[in-house]
Amino acid sequence: MARPPAPLPPSLPWRAFTRSEALSAGVSSQRLRRRDIYTVRPGLYAVSGSELTELDIVAALCRADPAAVVVGLSAARMQGLPLPSQNSTWATRTPVHIAADRGTRKGDRVVRWHNFSFAPGEVRRVSYSHLPAPDEAAMPHSRLRMSSRARTWRDLAPLLTHLQLVSVGDHLVRRPNPAFDKGRTEPLCTVAELSAACTGRYAGKLRTALGDVRVGADSPRETMLRLAFREAGLPEPLINQPLHGADGRVLHRPDFQWPEHRVCAEYEGKTHNDEEQVKRDIRRARRTSSAGFLEIRLYDEDTRASCANAVRIVRDELIARGWKP
């Protein structure tokens, strides 16, 4: 009867690790072939039964090459940029994206290598914590080199549509909300930083997208609606700007506001089904009405077919309140 494998040494605390790390920790080549370890790709191993994350893979690759930089979709996901559904989540069959400057390397289903060059300021150092499973010991933080948010936006240009690029841009220049942004007081990027990133093969596409980026949009759906309103020839709304009552007091900040026509619109996402949120929405609508504004409430179905229903509703109300197309 085969003896169970010996525990891995504490000096090898990660879920994913390289062959070099294992050998340096005193783990033999024979031990790497035991059933509690499997090969992720040549030279990269993982503990059987553990649920690997994108961070586990990129951290191991970056420990093996301190000059490596996390880029592209990996950098976008790890920095929390809003991506289309097919790119927004990582699974074990999803390749990670790493830039390395040691010549051309052969990629595979686990890693896509990129031979990027970076201007000063386009690479930032970040630290991530690995969340252990209930039966796992704590792991050290991983310190990585990662493309800056503006450079990441630039590198997404070949992969995203105009609307998707604008949505990411809106997210980056958005003013932080103290209730949701953990004390952050500054935008993730400035418009000037995005402008400086409009270089390379897709510079024209990036500049066109940047022309549609606005400070204020809080979600990709808000970006989609704003661009649909403009495409339909509606006047451009104020985005999440204060709505003032008759006494000058700020009542709230509507998603979209046409103050000259006393119309505003709110996009109600899934969180607005919560009972307490419903009560807050009712109180908000009453405040809006007291200021002489009409509040239009839009939801997911209104954004289908290029937001045709939302455009029709808003256009009709603007015309009813004096706007002339």
Side-chain angles (χ1 to χ4, degrees):
M1 183 175 181
R3 289 185 298 177
L8 295 173
S11 55
L12 197 65
W14 300 284
R15 281 185 286 254
F17 50 86
T18 65
R19 178 181 180 84
S20 176
E21 286 177 319
L23 297 179
S24 296
V27 178
S28 67
S29 299
Q30 183 179 7
R31 175 69 181 84
L32 290 174
R33 293 193 290 270
R34 298 297 297 270
R35 64 178 180 272
D36 63 328
I37 295 174
Y38 68 95
T39 302
V40 179
R41 69 184 299 268
L44 182 64
Y45 300 85
V47 177
S48 297
S50 60
E51 188 173 343
L52 289 183
T53 66
E54 188 164 22
L55 174 60
D56 293 323
I57 300 295
V58 301
L61 295 170
C62 290
R63 290 194 304 270
D65 182 358
V69 180
V70 186
V71 297
L73 289 172
S74 290
R77 284 188 289 263
M78 295 177 70
Q79 294 181 105
L81 305 191
L83 295 171
S85 57
Q86 68 269 24
N87 301 127
S88 61
T89 56
W90 183 87
T92 52
R93 294 180 179 271
T94 306
V96 302
H97 294 261
I98 306 287
D101 59 0
R102 296 182 181 177
T104 302
R105 304 188 188 192
K106 186 177 180 181
D108 51 36
R109 66 176 183 83
V110 176
V111 58
R112 298 276 173 83
W113 298 104
H114 301 269
N115 188 17
F116 288 170
S117 59
F118 298 97
E122 288 187 335
V123 176
R124 55 193 290 256
R125 295 186 180 276
V126 295
S127 179
Y128 285 91
S129 59
H130 298 255
L131 297 178
D135 58 343
E136 286 183 322
M139 288 169 276
H141 281 53
S142 287
R143 292 171 174 79
L144 311 171
R145 300 176 77 229
M146 183 174 292
S147 58
S148 68
R149 296 180 180 93
R151 172 59 194 255
T152 302
W153 179 71
R154 171 192 186 269
D155 292 337
L156 293 175
L159 308 173
L160 302 186
T161 65
H162 174 77
L163 169 60
Q164 291 161 354
L165 271 179
V166 176
S167 295
V168 175
D170 280 357
H171 170 82
L172 290 173
V173 303
R174 179 179 66 85
R175 288 184 297 267
N177 184 328
F180 305 110
D181 293 303
K182 298 181 180 179
R184 182 167 60 85
T185 59
E186 299 295 330
L188 297 172
C189 272
T190 65
V191 173
E193 287 170 330
L194 294 186
S195 179
C198 295
T199 60
R201 182 178 177 184
Y202 293 90
K205 182 177 181 179
L206 289 163
R207 282 193 292 268
T208 301
L210 183 58
D212 284 337
V213 168
R214 297 290 185 274
V215 176
D218 281 340
S219 71
R221 285 300 171 95
E222 289 184 21
T223 299
M224 178 192 299
L225 285 162
R226 175 171 60 80
L227 294 184
F229 295 152
R230 191 205 58 185
E231 186 70 19
L234 304 186
E236 183 155 348
L238 300 181
I239 311 165
N240 289 297
Q241 292 292 313
L243 185 152
H244 297 275
D247 59 359
R249 184 167 54 94
V250 175
L251 300 181
H252 80 106
R253 296 173 182 268
D255 294 339
F256 307 100
Q257 183 184 167
W258 294 267
E260 63 273 30
H261 304 294
R262 315 297 281 178
V263 172
C264 64
E266 300 281 358
Y267 174 73
E268 314 288 30
K270 293 179 180 179
T271 60
H272 289 261
N273 294 328
D274 174 77
E275 182 178 353
E276 287 303 314
Q277 183 62 53
V278 170
K279 294 177 182 177
R280 288 193 290 270
D281 290 343
I282 291 172
R283 291 193 292 268
R284 180 199 68 206
R286 290 171 179 171
R287 291 194 302 270
T288 300
S289 178
S290 72
F293 274 72
L294 171 74
E295 180 183 271
I296 301 169
R297 301 182 69 179
L298 305 171
Y299 66 110
D300 182 65
E301 198 168 289
D302 294 323
T303 66
R304 297 175 185 173
S306 301
C307 302
N309 204 39
V311 168
R312 178 186 58 78
I313 294 169
V314 171
R315 178 193 284 118
D316 288 350
E317 295 298 351
L318 287 173
I319 291 173
R321 291 201 163 216
W323 176 63
K324 297 181 179 180

